[in-house]
Amino acid sequence: MSDLVTLLSTGAPVAAAAGGAALARERYPRLYWSTVGLPWSATRLLTTYGSVMEACGLTVPPSRLRALAVRATTRREVRPVPPRRGLVRPTATGLRVRLRLAPGQEVADLAAATERLRHAWSVHAVHVAEVKPGVAELRLVGFDVLNDVRMPKTSGDGFLRVPVALREDATPFVRDYRTVPHQLTLGATLSGKSMYLRHLVAGLAPQRVALVGIDCKRGVELAPFAPRLSALATDPAEAAELLPALVGLMEERYDLIRARQRDNGATPDVWGLPEEERRVPVVVFVDEVAELFLTATRKDEERRDELVTHLVRLAQLGRAAGIYLEVCGQRFGAELGKGATMLRAQLTGRVCHRVNDEASAKMALGDIAPEAVMAACAIPAERPGLAVAADSSGRWARIRTPYLSLTDAATHCAIHAHRAPTLPALARFRPVVSTAVESAPAGS
Ligand SMILES: Nc1ncnc2c1ncn2[C@@H]1O[C@H](COP(=O)(O)OP(=O)(O)OP(=O)(O)O)[C@@H](O)[C@H]1O
Ligand SMILES: [Mg+2]
């Protein structure tokens, strides 16, 4: 009886603590990480570093000098050496540690062992990034940061840079228009494309940038941001007028750059113009690009060809004139007709949300990062906003946008409405913002 009482008095609190920890891990992963996970994983890393590296095949034979020194000073057996380790730095989501690669090792060797390392140190995931030649950083992530996305406080924003999503290694994914001028965002319906655009619009709203929208779903996605837009087209007919106006603006800017080259010397783009003459950058958002390609009649076909030619010209030449494209759609392949693959080839950045088939993922990623195609196909429907981002360097990562409601984004745009630049060439496309409340007729 007394044994039973002892068992109950010690076992019950232990069981309660274990249950509480499991619940905290599930419900409050951040709190769990900073109180339990971090000390536990850091201790394991520090105490088992050498043996884990050896077990993972990440050690190299010691140099002859080292072997001699060990033999001369101790009677110990000469053991293989792991990469030299830097300080272990804790973060709100994981741990970071820099490693100096041993001679003969490359970053890919560490990358191949990440699955084994994560089990050895009890963390959710391990990622590897090259810091500089010979130095790699191990990024240990304590829990699934893409489950409930929270952007880090310092996320690298700046002029024409928008931290739009979080990578799975807990670093921000920054959409930087100066390095990747044009981007294609693909995904099935309800996969999170418009949420991605919403973040970009909200992120650019406080900056000195003109925002232009082409939303052939009659403006349902972009019209709420009308106060901050310098131009908006809500159907293919309007887009067919807006795009030539944008090409005209681009040509005007090229003429200006050419004129200044004659006066002041060489400048290859708008950024080299004197400050007072520098033109405001224009970001063109196209939601559901396929709508611009589809035609019903032969007359439409002519319009389509013109429209696509303008888009291709903007993608080819726009960057130097400070015009950037953000194109978004469900599929974007040769089946859309003439010009589709040519336009796609100009869109350097690629983000692929959940897709319904492998062919769609290949349209987004197949030509630049073939290994990312399978990762895109594995995105589950219950995780909208999750995507695979790649660029022409072949690198790719899983990313997810934080949730941002349409109302919050629209309010943010309304607050920054006074920053919307007026571009005379686009003035007639400026959306009329009505503050009057519309009342629906009875019975409608
Ligand atoms: N990062 C996210 N976190 C949570 N919910 C999200 C996220 N991204 C999107 N969603 C939700 O998923 C749903 C679909 O998102 P969204 O409208 O962006 O999809 P879409 O790809 O543009 O779809 P469609 O092609 O039909 O326009 C919305 O209800 C949105 O609130
Ligand atoms: Mg959408």
Side-chain angles (χ1 to χ4, degrees):
M1 184 66 192
S2 69
D3 282 356
L4 187 64
V5 172
T6 316
L7 191 68
L8 279 178
S9 60
T10 53
V14 170
L23 193 72
R25 185 177 200 166
E26 185 70 23
R27 295 245 182 108
Y28 311 102
R30 280 161 207 279
L31 179 69
Y32 178 84
W33 171 251
S34 45
T35 51
V36 182
L38 174 62
W40 174 244
S41 294
T43 311
R44 287 189 77 164
L45 194 156
L46 291 170
T47 52
T48 63
Y49 177 73
S51 56
V52 167
M53 285 286 157
E54 193 173 352
C56 292
L58 291 169
T59 47
V60 292
S63 66
R64 209 172 294 166
L65 193 69
R66 187 186 174 111
L68 275 176
V70 172
R71 268 194 218 108
T73 53
T74 66
R75 285 167 171 269
R76 275 189 290 132
E77 163 199 9
V78 183
R79 299 186 65 79
V81 286
R84 207 163 73 224
R85 176 175 63 73
L87 283 180
V88 176
R89 285 173 298 139
T91 68
T93 52
L95 286 168
R96 296 211 177 159
V97 57
R98 286 195 179 179
L99 306 182
R100 175 160 287 284
L101 297 175
Q105 286 186 328
E106 57 170 336
V107 177
D109 296 333
L110 287 175
T114 50
E115 192 58 23
R116 281 168 275 161
L117 294 177
R118 97 179 174 89
H119 289 298
W121 294 326
S122 312
V123 285
H124 175 74
V126 175
H127 299 275
V128 186
E130 182 176 326
V131 179
K132 58 183 181 185
V135 180
E137 185 172 68
L138 281 186
R139 295 177 181 161
L140 281 65
V141 186
F143 53 95
D144 185 1
V145 290
L146 301 187
N147 196 26
D148 170 24
V149 179
R150 293 200 210 155
M151 296 299 284
K153 285 197 181 69
T154 47
S155 43
D157 51 349
F159 184 52
L160 284 176
R161 287 169 59 85
V162 181
V164 63
L166 193 68
R167 288 200 188 88
E168 59 187 333
D169 65 359
T171 56
F173 173 74
V174 180
R175 174 78 181 92
D176 182 351
Y177 288 91
R178 298 285 294 272
T179 44
V180 178
H182 312 303
Q183 183 175 279
L184 173 65
T185 303
L186 279 200
T189 185
L190 287 182
S191 60
K193 304 179 295 294
S194 301
M195 179 71 81
Y196 185 89
L197 289 195
R198 198 179 290 172
H199 276 283
L200 289 176
V201 173
L204 290 170
Q207 304 191 14
R208 194 178 160 268
V209 178
L211 306 178
V212 170
I214 298 177
D215 176 4
C216 292
K217 281 162 89 180
R218 303 242 166 229
V220 291
E221 306 278 14
L222 297 178
F225 314 131
R228 181 59 184 84
L229 298 182
S230 298
L232 176 67
T234 55
D235 60 38
E238 280 178 20
E241 289 177 28
L242 174 56
L243 284 169
L246 279 166
V247 172
L249 180 76
M250 178 180 82
E251 287 169 346
E252 208 179 276
R253 290 182 175 191
Y254 273 118
D255 289 343
L256 177 71
I257 295 167
R258 188 76 194 94
R260 289 300 161 269
Q261 280 180 342
R262 280 193 286 266
D263 301 346
N264 312 334
T267 165
D269 54 30
V270 278
W271 306 110
L273 290 172
E275 186 105 22
E276 63 286 358
E277 280 192 318
R278 199 169 300 153
R279 296 303 192 241
V280 60
V282 180
V283 178
V284 183
F285 294 93
V286 184
D287 202 340
E288 205 34 85
V289 66
E291 285 295 316
L292 300 178
F293 282 80
L294 300 177
T295 53
T297 62
R298 187 162 278 279
K299 198 167 140 270
D300 282 353
E301 260 172 47
E302 268 171 36
R303 188 186 66 190
R304 185 209 92 117
D305 287 350
E306 268 179 41
L307 207 148
V308 172
T309 309
H310 291 313
L311 257 184
V312 174
R313 290 196 67 204
L314 285 175
Q316 277 179 178
L317 309 171
R319 186 213 53 87
I323 299 178
Y324 305 105
L325 292 185
E326 195 66 52
V327 177
C328 176
Q330 300 193 15
R331 283 171 71 85
F332 198 174
E335 79 231 6
L336 286 182
K338 213 167 85 188
T341 46
M342 196 169 165
L343 175 58
R344 194 179 62 187
Q346 297 295 335
L347 307 174
T348 320
R350 304 290 176 86
V351 169
C352 181
H353 288 78
R354 177 178 53 78
V355 284
N356 289 331
D357 57 1
E358 194 183 325
S360 303
K362 280 190 176 152
M363 286 170 195
L365 304 166
D367 51 344
I368 60 166
E371 330 78 86
V373 170
M374 285 329 289
C377 291
I379 296 174
E382 56 282 3
R383 277 210 164 178
L386 188 64
V388 171
D391 63 33
S392 50
S393 67
R395 279 191 297 252
W396 63 275
R398 270 187 211 86
I399 60 167
R400 193 177 189 199
T401 45
Y403 181 80
L404 173 65
S405 75
L406 186 58
T407 317
D408 288 352
T411 311
H412 185 70
C413 285
I415 291 169
H416 294 285
H418 62 285
R419 292 181 204 271
T422 307
L423 302 171
L426 306 180
R428 66 200 167 100
F429 301 100
R430 184 140 192 175
V432 184
V433 183
S434 149
T435 46
V437 180
E438 252 179 55
S439 55
S444 68

